Amino acid sequence: IESCVRITGVAGYMFICSWRLAVLTCTLIPINAKLQRMYAIWLHNNARRCQDALAESNSVAHEAISSIQTVKSFAKEGFEVMRYTKSVQRYYELGIIQGVMESLNYMIVNTFLMNCVVQAALLSYGAVLIWKGAMKVDTLVAFMLYRANLQGDVSNLLNNYSSLLRGAGAATRVFHLLE
């Protein structure tokens, strides 16, 4: 709720400062939201895959431990170790993939799109407005500072959404196992 109130307040002030720059800023928010939505869906699905891999690892370990006498009598300790290693390896690989995707998401959406592209577009258009006399330099500086606040609040809101979907993906698998 706090992020929504802050977004509304900062966006309102930005429209008062310069409606042209505010419109430019707000046109990129839906793009950011769409990219975050796609990332959140991927996180949701990956969390389910991670829970499946973890459940498989636990299942393999439980089977081997519960029938340890049978495993020993057929001298299959190495085979059970390999089964468990493969299942843990799958969980590990999914964790590595998730780390890479988190890095790519941060690099593309937060760093490149929101920091570089938006700032360059706003500074370029702001310079044109200053050159034409439609805006003062101090207004552009204030606008850029408020844009940073807006970006932080929007990113916070979208990251919370992604985290909720990731948790929902893990919970879905747990509830499915409980049935």
Side-chain angles (χ1 to χ4, degrees):
I1 294 175
E2 178 189 351
S3 290
C4 293
V5 170
R6 291 179 67 161
I7 289 169
T8 304
V10 171
Y13 183 76
M14 290 171 70
F15 273 98
I16 291 169
C17 280
S18 173
W19 67 270
R20 292 176 183 109
L21 290 177
V23 167
L24 180 60
T25 301
C26 290
T27 57
L28 294 171
I29 290 175
I31 295 169
N32 187 7
K34 179 65 176 172
L35 290 172
Q36 283 298 112
R37 171 93 173 119
M38 291 173 14
Y39 175 64
I41 290 170
W42 183 87
L43 271 179
H44 177 79
N45 293 332
N46 192 59
R48 287 180 29 208
R49 287 189 296 268
C50 283
Q51 288 298 320
D52 288 344
L54 188 59
E56 176 66 24
S57 295
N58 288 337
S59 174
V60 168
H62 180 71
E63 286 175 16
I65 291 170
S66 65
S67 60
I68 192 70
Q69 293 299 334
T70 307
V71 170
K72 281 186 171 188
S73 65
F74 286 101
K76 292 293 186 180
E77 294 93 345
F79 174 75
E80 292 299 331
V81 168
M82 285 301 291
R83 277 184 59 209
Y84 183 71
T85 302
K86 283 183 184 179
S87 63
V88 169
Q89 182 67 26
R90 176 71 180 142
Y91 181 71
Y92 173 75
E93 289 169 358
L94 288 169
I96 295 294
I97 291 170
Q98 182 167 331
V100 168
M101 291 302 288
E102 285 178 12
S103 300
L104 287 173
N105 178 60
Y106 183 78
M107 181 179 64
I108 293 169
V109 175
N110 292 347
T111 304
F112 178 70
L113 182 64
M114 295 308 291
N115 285 337
C116 295
V117 173
V118 172
Q119 285 186 14
L122 289 175
L123 286 174
S124 299
Y125 190 57
V128 169
L129 291 175
I130 290 169
W131 185 58
K132 290 182 177 182
M135 175 185 257
K136 294 181 182 178
V137 174
D138 58 344
T139 305
L140 178 60
V141 171
F143 188 89
M144 293 301 291
L145 293 173
Y146 278 106
R147 186 219 51 89
N149 286 341
L150 180 70
Q151 174 189 338
D153 292 335
V154 168
S155 293
N156 186 24
L157 190 65
L158 294 174
N159 287 337
N160 287 341
Y161 176 72
S162 297
S163 296
L164 283 173
L165 276 186
R166 177 178 31 193
T172 300
R173 179 62 182 145
V174 170
F175 289 134
H176 178 72
L177 291 173
L178 292 175
E179 290 179 345

